[in-house]
Amino acid sequence: MRFASALAIPVGLVLWSAPVAANPSAGLELSADRYRSILGPVPQPGGKVERDDLVILRWNQRTRYPEAVIHSWKFLNRYVGTFDAAVGGNMAKSAPKLSKGLMSFLKIIDTVKKELKKGHQRPRPFISHGDIKPCLPLQSSFSFPSGHSAWYAATALLLADLMPERHERLMHVGRQGGYARVYCGLHYPSDVLAGERFAKAITADIIASTQWQSFRKQVKPEVVKLLQSPPAELPLLSN
């Protein structure tokens, strides 16, 4: 922080920043109708998109190996801490206000996603095709768009707005959250791509909101703390 040279800061003075509201997204309302056209039509059973999806799903199933399955399980729970390696710090410990506040925006995204799923009602691939054997816990909810894909992509985009210095690393983790769903047969690839399109559109609206801009300013001290890790100390995300 830069101050005019004429100003003197008394010894022991603590610089104050406004506390983050219990629900920083309060008042932000987003309608599912705004995003229906972005998703596009649900791929038809037996159509080209579904046939292409099944080629990928079956190839993944034939070539699975234990380490990759274990990796997919890391993305089963939607947890902001999954992005710690991309950031280079423990967000729950070093940025508790950021972590908690971010969840309030992600809750809005999840609510809108659920409405979109109700409107499309695409069965999951293992329900429609008996030869698809998932390697993650089964879910009976609808398949289009992928909720995990939307959540991980949206989390990556929102964190990248707060920490553009970590953009590529965050996007890498965000994509993995969606890819794991295809690798383990829980979603068609087209479900994941739809989730990513939805995430891109809705996070753009969130970032433009007054609620997000206020939140961004309030958590700036925590972001600065998180980014103190030297580049050489950042963990590798892949080899």
Side-chain angles (χ1 to χ4, degrees):
M1 185 175 296
R2 182 174 297 174
F3 295 87
S5 58
L7 295 178
I9 302 175
V11 175
L13 176 64
V14 177
L15 297 178
W16 178 86
S17 62
V20 177
N23 180 11
S25 66
L28 178 59
E29 297 182 1
L30 298 171
S31 171
D33 291 337
R34 178 174 174 82
Y35 307 102
R36 295 189 196 281
S37 61
I38 292 170
L39 291 182
V42 178
Q44 294 301 305
K48 183 180 185 305
V49 173
E50 186 181 272
R51 293 198 302 271
D52 291 345
D53 281 347
L54 288 168
V55 169
I56 295 171
L57 286 170
R58 287 166 177 151
W59 186 85
N60 283 340
Q61 187 165 287
R62 289 194 305 269
T63 59
R64 280 180 197 154
Y65 57 98
E67 292 82 1
V69 173
I70 292 171
H71 177 73
S72 296
W73 274 77
K74 294 178 181 179
F75 298 91
L76 177 60
N77 297 315
R78 292 179 289 182
Y79 171 52
V80 174
T82 307
F83 289 85
D84 282 350
V87 172
N90 185 321
M91 285 188 282
K93 181 178 179 179
S94 300
K97 294 178 182 179
L98 186 160
S99 299
K100 184 177 180 180
L102 180 63
M103 291 302 297
S104 72
F105 291 95
L106 292 170
K107 185 176 180 179
I108 293 176
I109 294 174
D110 201 47
T111 298
V112 175
K113 179 268 302 178
K114 288 178 181 177
E115 286 299 312
L116 294 171
K117 276 197 174 189
K118 288 180 183 177
H120 292 296
Q121 299 190 9
R122 185 187 197 186
R124 290 180 183 265
F126 62 87
I127 292 176
S128 300
H129 305 276
D131 63 313
I132 301 300
K133 307 297 182 184
C135 57
L136 286 172
L138 302 184
Q139 292 178 290
S140 58
S141 58
F142 295 118
S143 196
F144 184 95
S146 164
H148 274 75
S149 174
W151 191 92
Y152 273 99
T155 304
L157 289 164
L158 292 175
L159 286 172
D161 183 67
L162 298 175
M163 294 173 269
E165 299 89 341
R166 301 287 190 265
H167 182 274
E168 289 304 317
R169 297 172 64 84
L170 291 163
M171 293 301 107
H172 180 85
V173 175
R175 287 190 293 269
Q176 290 297 312
Y179 295 167
R181 310 302 286 176
V182 173
Y183 186 77
C184 276
L186 267 294
H187 279 286
Y188 295 101
S190 52
D191 297 334
V192 168
L193 294 175
E196 290 177 346
R197 290 196 300 273
F198 163 64
K200 184 176 181 180
I202 196 168
T203 53
D205 289 340
I206 288 174
I207 289 170
S209 71
T210 56
Q211 289 88 344
W212 179 261
Q213 291 303 315
S214 176
F215 175 68
R216 196 176 195 275
K217 293 176 183 177
Q218 291 167 355
V219 300
K220 182 64 176 177
E222 288 190 341
V223 170
V224 171
K225 185 177 180 180
L226 281 171
L227 295 178
Q228 287 177 349
S229 175
E233 292 185 4
L234 292 176
L236 293 175
L237 296 181
S238 67
N239 54 12

